[in-house]
Amino acid sequence: MSIPSGGPIADLSYRNYTGPKGLAKLRWWPIVKSGLRSSFKKKGFWVLAVVSLLPYIPVFFMVLLTTLRGTTDSSFLPEFPSLVGGLYSSGFWPLMLALMVGAGSIAADNRSNALQVYLSKPITKSDYLIGKWMYIFLVVFAVYFAPLFLLTVFEMLTLGFGDFFGKYGLLFPKLLLLSVIPAAVHASALVGISAWNKTPWLVGVIYAGIYIFTSFLAIILAHAISGLSFRAAATVSDLSIGGAIAGVGTNILGAAPRSVLPGPESSSLPYPLPLWLILIGISIVGLLLASRRIRAVEVVQG
């Protein structure tokens, strides 16, 4: 190799970095868009989204029928917050949708070793976790909020602005809180379980099993304990993931959940504190599990 005749060869093995030192804001947003895009491509997603709207159809019909009859008789139709509470308490289909979009959130990356690729880019572990959590949250939030919001707008238009805000003035802000709670709980639990697995369907089975098992256990416990007051019995029967979501929702609405179909009415609202502790605990544990598991390198333990 010939040496240039302009002087000694400079050592170019290392140069100080002169590029930008700050990371871009909202680094987790591309992960959110990728998760939403992959979810929207699934036909099952749209099937479950449509099925989750079916419980709202009879309520829309009954509200319209009440308007056409020109009556607000509670014997014909329960109070509107009770109807909202009844729809909110039936969270089976939103749960199925959360399992579809969230079971493989991190497990699929673990299986394909994509986690190291993500974290080799200029994002932090927190950015990755926020992105995975956020797209699950947005999907579940939309499934809860959109139909409840449309139903409430329909009730407002049929009842009249003055009468509606006079009776249910704070209902719209309550809908936001009602939708945030299950979205945050499902997203936190799913990222926590998914981070420790490589098989998405197994993540769905584990979370669905925990959800169903705790529901049955709470019901059995409520029947086994005798001598409880109505409110205490309602609280014990809600000591599960689904029950805590429904119980907190009924307390926010201040009305026991009712259906458009005739049936027994319960006027006892559960105590909210133990239900809040369950939901907050599940969310914190899920996020801590995910944060502990997510690593930029694969750690081999012998």
Side-chain angles (χ1 to χ4, degrees):
M1 185 177 72
S2 62
I3 300 176
S5 59
I9 300 176
D11 183 9
L12 300 180
S13 60
Y14 176 79
R15 291 181 179 178
N16 290 329
Y17 175 72
T18 59
K21 295 181 175 59
L23 295 177
K25 297 180 180 179
L26 299 180
R27 297 179 298 273
W28 45 267
W29 182 243
I31 301 176
V32 176
K33 291 193 295 183
S34 176
L36 293 175
R37 192 181 302 114
S38 62
S39 299
F40 295 159
K41 289 180 180 179
K42 299 176 182 178
K43 294 182 180 179
F45 172 86
W46 297 107
V47 172
L48 286 177
V50 172
V51 171
S52 65
L53 298 177
L54 294 180
Y56 292 83
I57 295 178
V59 180
F60 271 102
F61 174 76
M62 296 299 287
V63 171
L64 178 61
L65 186 59
T66 303
T67 305
L68 294 177
R69 289 183 53 173
T71 179
T72 58
D73 185 8
S74 60
S75 63
F76 176 72
L77 191 66
E79 285 293 322
F80 187 71
S82 296
L83 290 177
V84 172
L87 292 169
Y88 181 77
S89 300
S90 57
F92 176 78
W93 293 114
L95 171 66
M96 293 296 103
L97 199 59
L99 294 178
M100 172 175 286
V101 302
S105 56
I106 303 178
D109 291 342
N110 290 336
R111 183 177 58 184
S112 61
N113 292 323
L115 186 58
Q116 286 71 39
V117 177
Y118 268 114
L119 298 180
S120 66
K121 299 178 180 181
I123 65 171
T124 65
K125 182 173 69 173
S126 298
D127 297 328
Y128 176 82
L129 179 56
I130 292 173
K132 293 295 183 178
W133 183 91
M134 183 61 70
Y135 88 80
I136 304 172
F137 172 88
L138 291 176
V139 170
V140 181
F141 176 86
V143 171
Y144 272 97
F145 181 74
L148 287 176
F149 177 78
L150 292 176
L151 178 63
T152 305
V153 170
F154 184 70
E155 171 71 8
M156 180 182 65
L157 295 176
T158 55
L159 192 62
F161 286 87
D163 292 339
F164 177 85
F165 285 104
K167 296 177 65 175
Y168 317 122
L170 297 177
L171 190 54
F172 281 109
K174 290 179 179 180
L175 294 183
L176 283 172
L177 183 56
L178 290 175
S179 304
V180 165
I181 292 171
V185 172
H186 290 329
S188 301
L190 283 170
V191 295
I193 300 172
S194 185
W196 288 83
N197 287 275
K198 294 185 178 182
T199 309
W201 69 262
L202 182 60
V203 176
V205 170
I206 292 174
Y207 187 51
I210 295 173
Y211 188 95
I212 296 172
F213 175 76
T214 55
S215 298
F216 277 112
L217 186 62
I219 294 174
I220 293 172
L221 185 62
H223 284 84
I225 301 177
S226 58
L228 294 175
S229 64
F230 289 110
R231 192 172 189 186
T235 305
V236 174
S237 63
D238 282 343
L239 295 179
S240 62
I241 300 176
I245 292 173
V248 167
T250 57
N251 274 277
I252 293 173
L253 291 169
R258 288 288 310 276
S259 171
V260 293
L261 301 176
E265 180 179 0
S266 174
S267 58
S268 298
L269 300 179
Y271 294 106
L273 180 59
L275 307 184
W276 274 112
L277 292 177
I278 290 175
L279 299 181
I280 294 173
I282 290 172
S283 301
I284 293 175
V285 169
L287 292 175
L288 288 177
L289 286 174
S291 178
R292 181 177 177 82
R293 180 62 175 173
I294 296 172
R295 300 187 182 100
V297 296
E298 185 68 22
V299 178
V300 179
Q301 298 179 348

